[in-house]
Amino acid sequence: MNKTIQLQDLGNRDYKETWDYQEVLFKEILDIKIKNRREDAGLETPNYFLLVEHPHVFTLGKSGDFDNLLVSEKELAAKNATFYKINRGGDITYHGPGQIVGYPILDLDNFFTDIHKYLRFLEEMVILTLAEYGLKAERSSGETGVWFDVGTPFARKICALGVRASRWVTMHGFAFNVNADLGYFDLMIPCGIKDKAVTSLNVELGKATVDEAEVKEKLLKHFTTLFEAEIHQKTEA
């Protein structure tokens, strides 16, 4: 079992370019697993964790409803935004500047073979990070992601999750609003959930901006602890 994870901070990167790169890493791990099964090769599978910030983009999961996008693609283009239908679970999600997006591409055979536990650990990573800022976040029953004031008229989401897994290899991941422009969320029904708001860390703290590098450090610290992993950083993809 290889619990070493190669971290790559991609900076600001086009969504489609990053998606293609995820697919390359995902296939690399799957190919090794298939070789191991067919040839009893005993090869170690790698694990990756990509951090990225995307230009304005809306993505729709394979089970999502296109009607949850409230504007035309022409109107999106006028707002410098793009749209993709993709192969993760979940409904519609927005990515953009001021948002920390994380794509763990893990062989869960190296950790635990439980997708439910995997999703809960990603949520817990964000919940623990927010606690360091004095904020009490929580889960919402039947809805993935991280929320505030669940069960009240003030319920609002700060982090969305959507993953794909095959042969226990994961891709896609989470989108954590840190200094996000919340106006873009008005162009859709976030995750297909009506009548619930979206928020950002800077809004919750009453600050103009929050140090994103500091937030990343906290996320990685909690991720490492939860997954009992060792992270090695690579500077370039």
Side-chain angles (χ1 to χ4, degrees), residues 1-235:
M1 293 172 66
N2 174 28
K3 291 199 171 189
T4 299
I5 299 174
Q6 299 177 45
L7 172 68
Q8 298 178 23
D9 192 331
L10 305 179
N12 191 295
R13 191 73 65 94
D14 175 76
Y15 183 84
K16 183 62 165 63
E17 180 185 343
T18 309
W19 182 14
D20 289 344
Y21 183 50
Q22 281 194 78
E23 292 280 11
V24 169
L25 300 178
F26 184 78
K27 183 178 185 300
E28 174 195 358
I29 299 172
L30 282 179
D31 286 349
I32 293 171
K33 296 191 78 167
I34 291 168
K35 185 179 179 67
N36 283 342
R37 176 174 291 185
R38 289 177 178 172
E39 303 175 16
D40 196 22
L43 299 173
E44 191 175 76
T45 51
N47 307 288
Y48 301 95
F49 193 147
L50 309 181
L51 287 173
V52 66
E53 180 182 84
H54 293 305
H56 302 295
V57 61
F58 293 82
T59 68
L60 184 69
K62 57 188 177 182
S63 59
D65 184 348
F66 187 79
D67 289 341
N68 288 327
L69 180 64
L70 302 179
V71 294
S72 69
E73 291 190 51
K74 184 177 179 181
E75 289 172 293
L76 286 183
K79 293 181 176 293
N80 297 315
T82 54
F83 172 83
Y84 293 100
K85 186 165 176 57
I86 63 172
N87 59 351
R88 61 160 170 78
D91 207 283
I92 196 163
T93 300
Y94 160 79
H95 300 312
Q99 189 182 70
I100 295 174
V101 178
Y103 298 129
I105 306 172
L106 311 179
D107 179 4
L108 290 182
D109 273 320
N110 288 325
F111 302 93
F112 48 79
T113 50
D114 185 333
I115 292 295
H116 178 80
K117 181 177 178 179
Y118 173 67
L119 290 169
R120 302 296 80 80
F121 271 18
L122 292 183
E123 292 167 343
E124 188 68 13
M125 169 189 67
V126 177
I127 290 169
L128 292 171
T129 296
L130 290 167
E132 292 201 57
Y133 290 94
L135 299 172
K136 180 176 175 16
E138 56 191 323
R139 297 175 180 86
S140 179
S141 179
E143 298 169 333
T144 59
V146 178
W147 301 74
F148 293 113
D149 294 331
V150 171
T152 78
F154 308 106
R156 56 206 183 277
K157 188 181 221 179
I158 193 167
C159 182
L161 269 66
V163 305
R164 176 192 174 198
S166 177
R167 298 177 186 263
W168 299 113
V169 181
T170 66
M171 65 179 291
H172 301 296
F174 66 90
F176 181 18
N177 300 331
V178 178
N179 298 304
D181 181 347
L182 299 179
Y184 278 81
F185 288 92
D186 294 335
L187 306 180
M188 65 174 186
I189 301 173
C191 301
I193 302 169
K194 297 180 179 178
D195 304 322
K196 287 189 180 178
V198 176
T199 190
S200 186
L201 181 55
N202 65 320
V203 173
E204 296 298 321
L205 295 177
K207 294 183 176 182
T209 59
V210 176
D211 184 343
E212 292 178 32
E214 179 183 87
V215 177
K216 288 178 185 178
E217 287 181 7
K218 294 181 187 302
L219 288 169
L220 291 170
K221 175 182 68 176
H222 295 301
F223 182 91
T224 301
T225 300
L226 289 163
F227 284 83
E228 300 178 345
E230 181 179 339
I231 289 183
H232 294 164
Q233 182 152 11
K234 180 179 177 183
T235 54

